[in-house]
Amino acid sequence: MKILHTADWHIGKKLHKHDLSPDFDLFIIWLCNCIQENKVELLLISGDVFDLANPSSEARKQYYRALLKLRNLDCKIILTGGNHDSPAMLDAPGEILKELDMHVIGSLRKNLEDCIIPVKGKSGKIELVVAALPYLRDADLRSAGEGNTYEDRLEVIRMGIQNTFLGAAEICKTKFPDIPALAMGHLYAAGVETSESERDIQIGNQAAFHASQFGDFFNYIALGHIHKPQKVNAPVPTYYSGSPIPLSFSERKDEKRVLILDTEKAWIPESIPIPVFRKLLKISGTLSELNSKLLVLESNEALNSLIELEMIETQFDANKIYELDKLNELFDQPGFEIVKSKATFLNQTKGASELYANSQQLEDLKPRDVFLELIAKQEYNEEMKNDILSAFDELLEEVHATESSKQI
């Protein structure tokens, strides 16, 4: 059986207020062709289908249009929820989609067996079993009273993830003996490379799950959450497919891909590169250098290239800030758009609040980073800081969970 692994679609994503829906449409057209050319029978989508827990009506339409295009290829689909997704929203049409050979697991089921999906081949026999595990929320893994210290609570979360995967493995082993098994997951595995666009999960990623804890039962583990495609050092083949399109300027150099498995040959996937539909360009230099670099740009992509400008000058000069704003306002080169600009002055002394104000925009900051700056200024001992940070992380997880439960 041929299987295609992808993840982190983030439908509805805006990059500095710039809509990326055309990028996703082009990806789906390419994906349909890829599935046909490679005769893929099973498509796995490992979480973060949407960028927001309460996506816009346009994002939802784009999601269903994509599913219908894929369904027309006679390809089975298994889709799991990620930390950005609303479990209730994904699960709502589940019974209808199941009739179309699409299995959607937005939330961890009370009965873990309901996350285990047998997949039949063309012969009508079960050829594969998939443990479709979505993003595991704090509430899925521990009760509020467990763990006395911050590290205790992190360890409870790590053990909760491990027990979920081992429990799924045991069900596969018992109910489907001698049938190859594959697991899906959406989490942060220790040691992987991240980008700016990933939201902190499982208490600020400090509960990073060690890949050895997956166990050695599954033939392959299809992961989502990390946008940079990469292999995880684990007892069995374990991979992040990465996001199909760049979602932040930190991903501009990533080689986006999908992964294809041929179970008749091996469980090591083949990497299939995704075409570049638009470029993300980060251009730095003095004001004079920025003007020169912008003049020599050449476009050859399907969509407009997006530009992040950083003016770097030695001495502070308010006139140069004005000139940078003017450069943004007057820039009009076909095939290119400036979506962000900032000014950095090397010899300017800055306090913490000034540093944020001048070198970062509000949309760039993460709540945890701001909170860390705040408590760094207080005279707390290390134990007190850890307790305060633990309380903040739990509140942040609650906020994320509340966002995920909202429906229109």
Side-chain angles (χ1 to χ4, degrees):
M1 178 178 290
K2 283 196 171 182
I3 304 165
L4 191 147
H5 168 203
T6 180
D8 296 281
W9 285 4
H10 286 271
I11 301 173
K13 171 70 176 177
K14 294 183 185 296
L15 180 56
H16 300 303
K17 299 182 181 179
H18 188 96
D19 186 10
L20 296 181
S21 61
D23 309 57
F24 181 74
D25 282 338
L26 290 175
F27 162 66
I28 289 298
I29 292 170
W30 175 86
L31 181 64
C32 289
N33 291 331
C34 180
I35 288 172
Q36 285 181 309
E37 289 173 7
N38 291 280
K39 299 180 180 178
V40 172
E41 299 168 64
L42 174 63
L43 172 65
L44 305 178
I45 308 162
S46 297
D48 278 355
V49 179
F50 291 100
D51 191 59
L52 297 173
N54 191 12
S56 67
S57 58
E58 284 305 312
R60 296 176 193 226
K61 287 177 185 177
Q62 194 171 33
Y63 166 61
Y64 289 116
R65 284 199 304 267
L67 290 185
L68 285 174
K69 286 180 181 178
L70 292 165
R71 175 64 187 88
N72 290 336
L73 304 176
D74 195 28
C75 176
K76 299 175 179 63
I77 298 173
I78 301 178
L79 181 153
T80 54
N83 58 300
H84 282 248
D85 297 314
S86 161
M89 201 219 76
L90 285 183
D91 286 337
E95 292 303 314
I96 296 174
L97 293 176
K98 191 175 179 180
E99 292 300 313
L100 299 174
D101 220 359
M102 303 179 191
H103 296 265
V104 178
I105 308 290
S107 60
L108 185 67
R109 304 301 191 240
K110 290 183 180 179
N111 182 354
L112 192 55
E113 286 190 18
D114 293 335
C115 292
I116 310 303
I117 302 170
V119 180
K120 293 180 180 179
K122 293 177 181 177
S123 65
K125 295 180 180 179
I126 296 174
E127 293 186 10
L128 179 74
V129 59
V130 177
L133 301 179
Y135 168 66
L136 301 174
R137 288 175 162 77
D138 199 23
D140 297 325
L141 302 173
R142 68 178 183 87
S143 65
E146 288 180 305
N148 296 319
T149 68
Y150 181 62
E151 183 53 42
D152 287 342
R153 290 192 285 273
L154 295 182
E155 183 57 27
V156 168
I157 288 173
R158 284 190 284 264
M159 291 307 298
I161 298 172
Q162 175 179 310
N163 291 338
T164 302
F165 275 88
L166 294 182
E170 190 59 35
I171 294 170
C172 293
K173 192 185 306 182
T174 303
K175 293 196 68 176
F176 303 95
D178 302 320
I179 300 292
L182 179 154
M184 301 170 68
H186 191 91
L187 50 80
Y188 176 85
V192 298
E193 294 183 53
T194 62
S195 68
E196 293 172 0
S197 53
E198 287 122 1
R199 177 185 291 171
D200 288 347
I201 63 168
Q202 254 98 45
I203 305 193
N205 284 342
Q206 292 191 41
F209 185 70
H210 296 281
S212 60
Q213 295 176 272
F214 284 123
D216 58 3
F217 171 75
F218 293 107
N219 297 86
Y220 180 85
I221 299 177
L223 294 180
H225 178 60
I226 303 303
H227 298 166
K228 184 179 178 64
Q230 56 199 287
K231 181 181 184 296
V232 178
N233 186 16
V236 299
T238 303
Y239 288 80
Y240 285 101
S241 67
S243 57
I245 60 175
L247 301 171
S248 75
F249 279 90
S250 67
E251 298 177 32
R252 66 189 184 279
K253 295 181 180 178
D254 290 354
E255 294 183 0
K256 299 302 184 180
R257 68 180 185 184
V258 296
L259 298 171
I260 292 184
L261 288 157
D262 186 341
T263 62
E264 293 183 6
K265 295 180 179 178
W267 290 96
I268 302 299
E270 178 187 359
S271 180
I272 307 295
I274 301 171
V276 176
F277 305 118
R278 82 159 86 233
K279 285 184 179 178
L280 302 184
L281 306 174
K282 187 169 184 178
I283 301 176
S284 303
T286 64
L287 183 62
S288 175
E289 289 169 341
L290 293 182
N291 276 291
S292 298
K293 290 177 180 179
L294 290 174
L295 287 174
V296 297
L297 292 175
E298 293 184 4
S299 176
N300 56 4
E301 309 304 331
L303 301 172
N304 284 355
S305 297
L306 305 182
I307 301 172
E308 179 181 280
L309 288 183
E310 182 181 17
M311 182 181 71
I312 303 174
E313 298 283 354
T314 304
Q315 301 296 335
F316 175 80
D317 186 337
N319 286 328
K320 287 187 176 177
I321 295 177
Y322 170 75
E323 291 296 329
L324 179 63
D325 290 340
K326 191 174 178 181
L327 174 62
N328 283 336
E329 184 181 341
L330 298 178
F331 181 78
D332 184 20
Q333 189 161 338
F336 297 92
E337 295 177 52
I338 298 175
V339 295
K340 179 184 176 182
S341 64
K342 62 182 179 180
T344 300
F345 297 99
L346 301 177
N347 290 347
Q348 184 179 8
T349 304
K350 302 173 183 177
S353 61
E354 291 173 315
L355 179 65
Y356 277 140
N358 288 328
S359 68
Q360 287 184 278
Q361 297 182 1
L362 182 62
E363 65 193 278
D364 294 329
L365 302 178
K366 294 183 179 179
R368 198 170 193 274
D369 295 334
V370 177
F371 191 74
L372 283 170
E373 285 288 334
L374 178 64
I375 64 173
K377 300 176 184 177
Q378 309 302 320
E379 295 182 358
Y380 298 133
N381 61 39
E382 200 61 27
E383 184 177 355
M384 178 67 75
K385 281 186 179 180
N386 284 338
D387 286 340
I388 292 172
L389 188 57
S390 175
F392 174 82
D393 284 328
E394 291 189 41
L395 287 171
L396 190 60
E397 287 288 338
E398 272 189 35
V399 170
H400 290 167
T402 301
E403 289 177 351
S404 299
S405 65
K406 289 180 181 177
Q407 298 183 60
I408 292 179

